[in-house]
């Protein structure tokens, strides 16, 4: 499903540029994203940009490659709105990919806000992506979820938007003590891939270290150094298609908050809890204290990425090669550097013969690319971090973001999002935009949390060893006020 990229120019009109009839973008707006053309990072950034519809083979920026790093949010430049991103991943570790931007660094922490969008009667959240690409390795994020009220969804993911592969942790507000682990292969919805674990306390009240270990042969999830689950590639073979349904595409590390409770999708609302409680001044917040990335793939960051990539037609030599990674044998004998644990917990995933369908991966109805909203049930400004929680009755009321849903249990980690803003005829996505997003940013309905997966206790889990151009046309859509 395509996202709508739009800018609200007036209270009731949306104006956007579209590339139609399958034609490519022009030389002056060379980058295509979901059928829209422009020349800035929101359209040209690798994995957002569609090379098949862009002006030529070098229009889309190239993958930046993986970089070992720890981000501790001691600099305001650690995260930047995508409109201000130059294309140099060494300048900004994270990019807030939707507008308006609801991310900030405060008191040494990354804070992702979700505010009330009155026009849509739901929350508008936030999604940030790593500026470096990532394929295989270990990522640990120290997170305090926004699970304060039902319907509020927080997510920590590794995702390829172009391919639809995803690995995630997700938290829903109706069950603050539980974290969900899930995978998506090519945006195929398979409910049997999700598993739930009891963290042993309220995830919105205290920080925990959440770790994803991604190897060509297996994926492992750990909390506070204890491995919860191992998902093996060998268990994902689909005989009908003669393929392994295992995430393998290079992607990005991401974090988001979005409104699942007011998504308009029954499956997602049942999974997240509904309705999400809102007042005009409610603000939900997800907190991230640090992110550590250790690479093990064959696409390391290139020195060329120290220079900004072109915002018109990208440098063809600016990125490192995207080579394949040889699989490491003996997943059962590997050691998880992030966890240091020695026991192994494995689960057999559905081999692909179970009922699967393309997932919208995100049932939330958020319009804007930013997906995230957290809310409290009756408090004006709600946040897991009492020291940072907004208490003003006007908190969040001026920001009109829309959620980008990342629905677990059947939806991808970055639910629905709206279009990126451009410097050309199309502008930033409107927080009042009306289109829904696909898969990780899509609209598929998430399975009920009471589905096939059972909740396991993190504290009881065995500690496991782990290791020509078409001219853009302007279309005006008038929406009833």
């Amino acid at each position: 499903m395509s996202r709508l990229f739009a800018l609200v120019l007036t209270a009731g009109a949306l104006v956007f540029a579209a590339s139609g009839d399958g034609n490519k973008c022009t030389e002056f707006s060379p980058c295509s994203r979901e059928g829209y053309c422009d020349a800035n990072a929101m359209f040209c950034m690798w994995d957002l940009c569609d090379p098949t519809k862009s002006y030529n083979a070098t229009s889309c920026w190239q993958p930046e490659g993986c970089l070992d790093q720890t981000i501790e949010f001691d600099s305001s430049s650690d995260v930047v709105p995508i409109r201000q991103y130059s294309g140099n991943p060494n300048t900004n570790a994270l990019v807030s990919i939707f507008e308006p931007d609801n991310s900030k660094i405060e008191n040494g922490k990354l804070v992702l806000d979700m505010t009330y969008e009155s026009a849509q009667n739901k929350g508008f959240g936030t999604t940030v992506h790593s500026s470096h690409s990532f394929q295989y390795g270990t990522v640990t994020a120290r997170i305090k979820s926004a699970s304060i009220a039902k319907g509020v969804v927080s997510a920590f993911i590794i995702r390829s938007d172009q391919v639809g592969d995803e690995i995630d942790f997700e938290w829903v507000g109706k069950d603050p003590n539980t974290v969900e682990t899930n995978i998506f292969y090519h945006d195929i919805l398979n409910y049997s891939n999700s598993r739930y674990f009891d963290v042993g306390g309220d995830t919105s009240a205290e920080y925990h270290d959440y770790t994803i270990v991604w190897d060509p042969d297996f994926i492992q999830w750990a909390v506070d150094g204890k491995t919860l689950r191992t998902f093996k590639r060998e268990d994902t073979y689909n005989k009908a298609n003669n393929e392994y349904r295992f995430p393998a595409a290079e992607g990005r590390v991401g974090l988001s908050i979005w409104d699942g409770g007011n998504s308009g999708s029954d499956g997602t609302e049942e999974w997240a809890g509904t309705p999400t409680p809102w007042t005009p001044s409610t603000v939900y917040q997800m907190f991230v204290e640090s992110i550590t990335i250790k690479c093990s793939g064959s696409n390391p960051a290139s020195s060329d990425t120290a220079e900004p990539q072109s915002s018109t037609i990208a440098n063809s030599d600016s990125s490192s090669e995207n080579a394949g990674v040889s699989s490491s044998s003996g997943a059962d004998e590997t050691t998880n550097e992030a966890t240091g644990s020695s026991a192994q917990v494995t689960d057999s995933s559905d081999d692909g013969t179970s009922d699967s369908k393309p997932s919208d991966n995100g049932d939330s109805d958020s319009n804007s690319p930013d997906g995230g909203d957290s809310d409290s049930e009756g408090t004006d400004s709600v946040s897991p971090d009492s020291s940072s929680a907004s208490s003003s009755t006007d908190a969040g009321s001026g920001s009109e973001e829309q959620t980008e849903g990342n629905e677990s249990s059947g939806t991808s980690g970055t639910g629905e999002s709206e279009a990126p803003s451009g410097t050309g005829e199309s502008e930033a996505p409107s927080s009042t935009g009306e289109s829904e997003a696909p898969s990780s940013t899509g609209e598929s309905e998430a399975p009920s949390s009471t589905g096939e997966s059972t909740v396991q206790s993190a504290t009881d889990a065995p500690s496991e060893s782990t290791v020509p151009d078409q001219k853009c046309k302007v279309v005006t859509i008038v929406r009833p006020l």
Side-chain angles (χ1 to χ4, degrees), residues 172 174-175 178 180 191-192 194-196 266-273 408-410 446-455:
V172 294
K174 74 174 187 179
D175 193 357
T178 298
E180 179 184 12
Y191 295 130
S192 69
S194 63
R195 298 286 186 278
Y196 298 83
D266 291 343
T268 299
E269 292 182 349
E270 181 182 359
W271 164 71
S408 69
S409 220
S448 164
S449 62
T450 58
E452 306 170 4
S453 301
T454 58
V455 177

Side-chain angles (χ1 to χ4, degrees), residues 124-141:
F124 183 96
T126 313
T127 296
V128 299
H129 283 178
S130 61
S131 58
H132 279 92
S133 56
F134 181 79
Q135 185 181 36
Y136 303 128
T138 301
V139 184
T140 298

Side-chain angles (χ1 to χ4, degrees), residues 138-216:
T138 301
V139 184
T140 298
R142 187 163 179 79
I143 295 170
K144 185 186 292 187
S145 79
S147 294
I148 299 173
K150 60 185 177 182
V152 180
V153 182
S154 314
F156 164 34
I157 70 172
I158 301 168
R159 175 166 176 84
S160 165
D161 278 343
Q162 289 293 329
V163 175
D165 285 1
E166 179 177 318
I167 306 164
D168 65 45
F169 272 113
E170 292 188 286
W171 302 261
V172 294
K174 74 174 187 179
D175 193 357
N177 289 13
T178 298
V179 65
E180 179 184 12
T181 64
N182 205 356
I183 72 100
F184 292 89
Y185 170 79
H186 291 193
D187 283 337
I188 295 172
L189 181 60
N190 185 340
Y191 295 130
S192 69
N193 286 335
S194 63
R195 298 286 186 278
Y196 298 83
F197 298 91
D198 189 331
V199 175
D202 187 344
T203 63
S204 69
E206 56 188 15
Y207 287 93
H208 293 278
D209 291 320
Y210 298 90
T211 298
I212 296 173
V213 180
W214 183 23
D215 182 270

Side-chain angles (χ1 to χ4, degrees), residues 19-26 29-37 43-62 162-163 468-470:
S19 58
D21 304 324
N23 294 320
K24 295 189 176 184
C25 297
T26 67
S29 295
C31 302
S32 174
R33 181 177 172 190
E34 300 293 344
Y36 297 81
C37 303
F43 292 80
C44 297
M45 194 170 180
W46 176 80
D47 202 40
L48 297 178
C49 182
D50 180 356
T52 67
K53 297 292 182 64
S54 295
Y55 176 63
N56 63 25
T58 61
S59 296
C60 295
W61 296 354
Q62 300 301 302
Q162 289 293 329
V163 175
D469 308 338
Q470 170 266 337

